[in-house]
């Protein structure tokens, strides 16, 4: 993150629209058959950073998953099902007209649902409790993602926009109430005042 800002500061924003990374790091190593596959200027510097980030993330995920499966068994992957459902259901929503009409609402909804899962995971870990990843609040999201994918019930744009706004408002209210309750319980146990 910081190195990207430093590069931008040093070379300017135009650097990311150049092809220096591809020309010096990738192109000399490609076989001549593949070298002609990409036209000049096809792979920009920001594309190279994105590809490197995706490859590093995939490598990290594969290493972590295999480590956990070896250590604790295959049944531990069952707890990742809601996260995978949340990720998978967001893909058709992002590629639909619903997202282009309501980008902020959709992004806020994604963030709130992930916040709920990650917050409960961290709290359960800190309290040494058993983590329950299944949340009722993600069920409408998964159903909406499936309906968006199969294009069922997507005709009335106003109703869909209202549903997204109402769902996001409910998820925000739920997250606020849950966070306040957790903070209140922690303050009560510690004997300190917060709100």
């Amino acid at each position: 993150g910081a190195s990207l800002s430093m590069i931008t500061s040093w070379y300017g924003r135009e650097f990311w629209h150049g092809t220096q990374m591809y020309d010096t790091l990738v192109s000399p190593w490609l076989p001549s058959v593949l070298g002609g596959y990409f036209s000049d200027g096809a792979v920009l510097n920001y594309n190279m950073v994105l590809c490197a980030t995706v490859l590093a993330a995939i490598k990290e995920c594969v290493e972590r998953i295999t480590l956990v499966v070896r250590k604790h068994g295959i049944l531990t992957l069952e707890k990742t099902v809601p996260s995978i459902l949340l990720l998978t259901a967001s893909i058709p929503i992002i590629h639909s007209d619903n997202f282009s009409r309501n980008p902020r609402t959709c992004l806020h909804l994604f963030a709130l649902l992930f916040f709920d899962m990650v917050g409960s995971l961290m709290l359960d870990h800190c309290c040494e409790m058993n983590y329950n990843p299944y949340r009722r609040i993600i069920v409408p999201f998964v159903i909406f993602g499936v309906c968006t994918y199969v294009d069922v019930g997507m005709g009335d744009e106003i109703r869909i926009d209202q549903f997204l706004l109402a769902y996001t408002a409910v998820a925000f209210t739920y997250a606020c109430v849950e966070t306040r309750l957790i903070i209140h319980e922690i303050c009560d146990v510690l004997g300190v005042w917060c709100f």
Side-chain angles (χ1 to χ4, degrees):
S3 62
L4 297 178
S5 296
M6 289 172 35
I7 291 171
T8 304
S9 171
W10 187 263
Y11 292 107
R13 290 182 292 173
E14 299 81 26
F15 172 77
W16 299 111
H17 297 283
T19 60
Q20 298 92 336
M21 288 182 181
Y22 176 77
D23 294 339
T24 57
L25 299 174
V26 178
S27 184
W29 297 97
L30 285 178
S32 59
V33 175
L34 292 176
Y37 178 72
F38 297 110
S39 62
D40 290 338
V43 183
L44 303 176
N45 289 339
Y46 66 83
N47 292 337
M48 292 294 297
V49 171
L50 178 67
C51 290
T53 305
V54 167
L55 288 174
I58 290 171
K59 176 188 166 289
E60 184 71 20
C61 287
V62 169
E63 284 179 357
R64 296 289 175 173
I65 288 172
T66 54
L67 178 73
V68 168
V69 168
R70 282 185 191 152
K71 190 173 183 181
H72 301 288
I74 193 80
L75 292 177
T76 55
L77 291 180
E78 183 253 338
K79 296 208 185 239
T80 62
V81 169
S83 299
I84 293 170
L85 275 175
L86 202 55
L87 287 168
T88 308
S90 64
I91 293 171
I93 295 171
I94 289 173
H95 292 290
S96 70
D97 291 337
N98 302 325
F99 186 79
S100 60
R101 281 194 323 271
N102 308 298
R104 288 186 180 158
T105 305
C106 289
L107 290 174
H108 282 105
L109 180 60
F110 299 164
L112 287 165
L113 295 175
F114 279 107
F115 166 78
D116 179 51
M117 291 187 109
V118 172
S120 64
L121 174 64
M122 290 190 313
L123 184 67
D124 289 344
H125 178 71
C126 289
C127 297
E128 296 179 358
M129 296 174 57
N130 191 17
Y131 172 62
N132 182 14
Y134 297 100
R135 307 253 172 252
R136 282 186 254 157
I137 197 165
I138 69 167
V139 172
F141 184 77
V142 172
I143 292 171
F144 182 68
V146 170
C147 289
T148 302
Y149 180 72
V150 296
D151 201 24
V152 172
M154 297 291 124
D156 192 2
E157 293 178 354
I158 295 173
R159 286 195 121 156
I160 293 169
D161 296 347
Q162 291 172 344
F163 166 75
L164 280 172
L165 186 60
Y167 186 31
T168 304
V170 168
F172 179 74
T173 305
Y174 175 75
C176 288
V177 168
E178 185 179 32
T179 303
R180 181 155 180 3
L181 286 173
I182 290 168
I183 291 172
H184 178 70
E185 289 177 7
I186 291 172
C187 290
D188 193 39
V189 168
L190 296 176
V192 295
W193 181 81
C194 185
F195 296 118

